[in-house]
Amino acid sequence: MTKDENSAKRPTLKDVALAAGVSVATASYALNDVGSVGGDTRRHVLEVAARLGYRPNLSAKAMRTGKTSAIGLILPDLTNPFFPALAQNVVHAARESAYSVFVTDTQGSPEAERAAAQALIQRGVDGLIWFPINDEDTLAHLTGGLPVLVLDRDNPRHDLIQIDVDSGGRMAAERLIRAGHRRIGVISGPTDVRSSRQRSESSAEVLRRHDALAWHLHNAYSFDLEPTVAAAVADGSVTALCVGADLIALGAINTLRQRGLRVPEDVSIIGFDNIPYGALAFPGLSTINIPVEEMGIEAVNTLLRRIAKPTESRRRLVFDVTYVERGTVAPPPTP
Amino acid sequence: MTKDENSAKRPTLKDVALAAGVSVATASYALNDVGSVGGDTRRHVLEVAARLGYRPNLSAKAMRTGKTSAIGLILPDLTNPFFPALAQNVVHAARESAYSVFVTDTQGSPEAERAAAQALIQRGVDGLIWFPINDEDTLAHLTGGLPVLVLDRDNPRHDLIQIDVDSGGRMAAERLIRAGHRRIGVISGPTDVRSSRQRSESSAEVLRRHDALAWHLHNAYSFDLEPTVAAAVADGSVTALCVGADLIALGAINTLRQRGLRVPEDVSIIGFDNIPYGALAFPGLSTINIPVEEMGIEAVNTLLRRIAKPTESRRRLVFDVTYVERGTVAPPPTP
DNA sequence: CTGCTTTAATTAAACGTTTCATTTATAAGG
DNA sequence: CCTTATAAATGAAACGTTTAATTAAAGCAG
């Protein structure tokens, strides 16, 4: 029971320098591969550092350099099946560049979002990847000059990564037209965000052009359909549905089945998002795929570039979507 | 274009002290509500700090105190539907105590897991919430004396939060027996982890006692059934399935349907985990619920307590599970 | 009024880095 | 052999906090 039982304090740079017989400055230069350090000395320091298991104290480094090698990821809701894959890829891409990620889930609350941003800034993150609740530029004055990458929303001052939702909405509508449907309902998700609204409007526009738009309703982002929507879905007024979000689409399928209608024999459905659930349904949900994985990776890359070059001109990346055919589209029933 | 365009550097404690006309020490004491500071002075400092929008630099604080107010969360796979709810609640509970969370997803790779732990430790997190890949005590020597809370796995030295899987496995089996089934198959998930293995063994044991165990196979944690499992499921040898993981259960339902069998009319199924997908299936998957939300919250609480009192005796929390009846259990078909 | 205790405030060291400015040693040039 | 340039290494300051040690002021008993 000696005093230092197993308290083996992590070795500090001073310890390394001491053990290597050089000054702290030299040790630092050697380890960071800067300054002018003799080849032998450098090797020796590295060797000693390795032997002692030296790992720099990142807090100290952060204080000195003003960089934390950490970024923040602000998401509305981790349990929204759209986000885990995004978060996963952000975390991985970040790690490849030796960055760590503070993940924050704001539960769809703008106040929580503000608080989260504040907390992260206070922590001194080098940048933020931010999937905001809405399009409002509320964080602008909070973030100050901090590098921010905004996902899927509009924002006048930050780097943007977006999705070509128009094309997605059109693809879905066209697919249903091509299958022969002429009475098609559109359900859009939350309507207070441009990107979300636009999906369904693009669909609706195509359908209108073919004179095939039966109605256009909207529903909260939820598996549960609001009564009026549920009624419209199952009252026989349509033979197909163009839905702005997979989760709602799955809810629609559920409603249809509960009322004795079959998918896709009686009603065809196309969703949007390609959340993992969709592939697991029976039959699998046909949908518009959003390349979340790539988006996550590119978000990190873009943010890190911005961190490195704060003055570079604003970037705006638009990702293509693709139609994923599974099992929920069929020709309309023959009456 | 003055020099300090909009570079409005964040005010430091020195700035506050200066503006308030006190020493840095006094400002610090006042803000942290310690030491002996006169009531007037304290109020004044607080007022000035608020006016300047002062937020302490956490890196500096961390270096001085050795505490970062950050914890790490190490998960095997965020896209595994079991985890997002857990992560969400960890993040929230942590925020309530002014802690931030580094989230790491190790993609089921032990090397990645080690690397992640190293990185987090280097960052100086105050503790780790760790859902390990397996039961091996591999991180023990890495973590040193760092407070660690282990989720759902066995570990001899750390605080533990576990699930009463035995009771869950039994509940599932008993429910099927009670429904009248006598030819029941058991599918277990990954078998290299005690907690996972035990679920199905408890089920199997009950079934054996009732002479109702048709077979006991296992399958990777995946929606796709391995050929032998798929064959067994659909060859008519059983009227019910007791599955150690919802994801596999959903895969089984899919397989059954593809082969023309109905759930639950022809085959009843009970899963385990209560992942969100299950509720969205049609009919909803009957399953054993694990209180992930509470687990997440309690994980944070337990970890923070351990951080505060490192010498307290080891804690081990076992959470009860509950059976959730949805739509996949029915009496066996009458031949 | 003196000496002692309490309260309020301050000074300065320390945490572990990075990095500027400086010193020392070595080599090159005349 | 002296000067000067270059290379290698070092000393010390700084980053923004906390906190132990110290001082100054005030209150109060005797």
Side-chain angles (χ1 to χ4, degrees), chain B residues 12-13 28 32 61 64:
Chain B
T12 158
L13 190 55
S28 173
N32 293 333
K61 186 174 229 163
R64 178 62 229 238

Side-chain angles (χ1 to χ4, degrees), chain B residues 218-240:
Chain B
H218 57 88
N219 199 82
Y221 183 84
S222 155
F223 180 70
D224 299 311
L225 263 49
E226 287 147 27
T228 59
V229 180
V233 159
D235 68 2
S237 61
V238 298
T239 64

Side-chain angles (χ1 to χ4, degrees), chain A residues 11-20 22-57 61, chain B residues 122:
Chain A
T12 158
L13 190 56
K14 195 151 90 179
D15 299 330
V16 174
L18 214 64
V22 301
S23 73
V24 175
T26 303
S28 173
Y29 286 134
L31 286 164
N32 293 332
D33 213 7
V34 297
S36 54
V37 180
D40 287 348
T41 322
R42 166 157 287 145
R43 270 186 294 278
H44 183 225
V45 169
L46 260 46
E47 196 259 323
V48 169
R51 180 157 52 74
L52 296 187
Y54 168 73
R55 325 240 60 187
N57 177 325
K61 186 174 228 162
Chain B
Q122 177 172 183

Side-chain angles (χ1 to χ4, degrees), chain B residues 36-95:
Chain B
S36 54
V37 180
D40 287 348
T41 322
R42 167 157 286 144
R43 271 186 294 279
H44 182 224
V45 169
L46 260 47
E47 196 258 323
V48 169
R51 181 156 52 74
L52 296 187
Y54 167 74
R55 327 238 60 186
N57 177 324
L58 292 187
S59 294
K61 186 174 229 163
M63 185 174 44
R64 178 62 229 238
T65 62
K67 296 273 164 211
T68 52
S69 304
I71 61 177
L73 174 62
I74 305 183
L75 298 176
D77 179 12
L78 259 178
T79 64
N80 172 334
F82 183 80
F83 291 119
L86 181 68
Q88 185 179 60
N89 281 278
V90 166
V91 167
H92 285 141
R95 188 162 56 227

Side-chain angles (χ1 to χ4, degrees), chain A residues 212-237:
Chain A
L213 179 62
W215 40 256
H216 183 170
L217 299 169
H218 56 88
N219 200 83
Y221 184 85
S222 155
F223 181 70
D224 299 311
L225 263 48
E226 286 147 28
T228 57
V229 180
V233 159
D235 68 2
S237 61

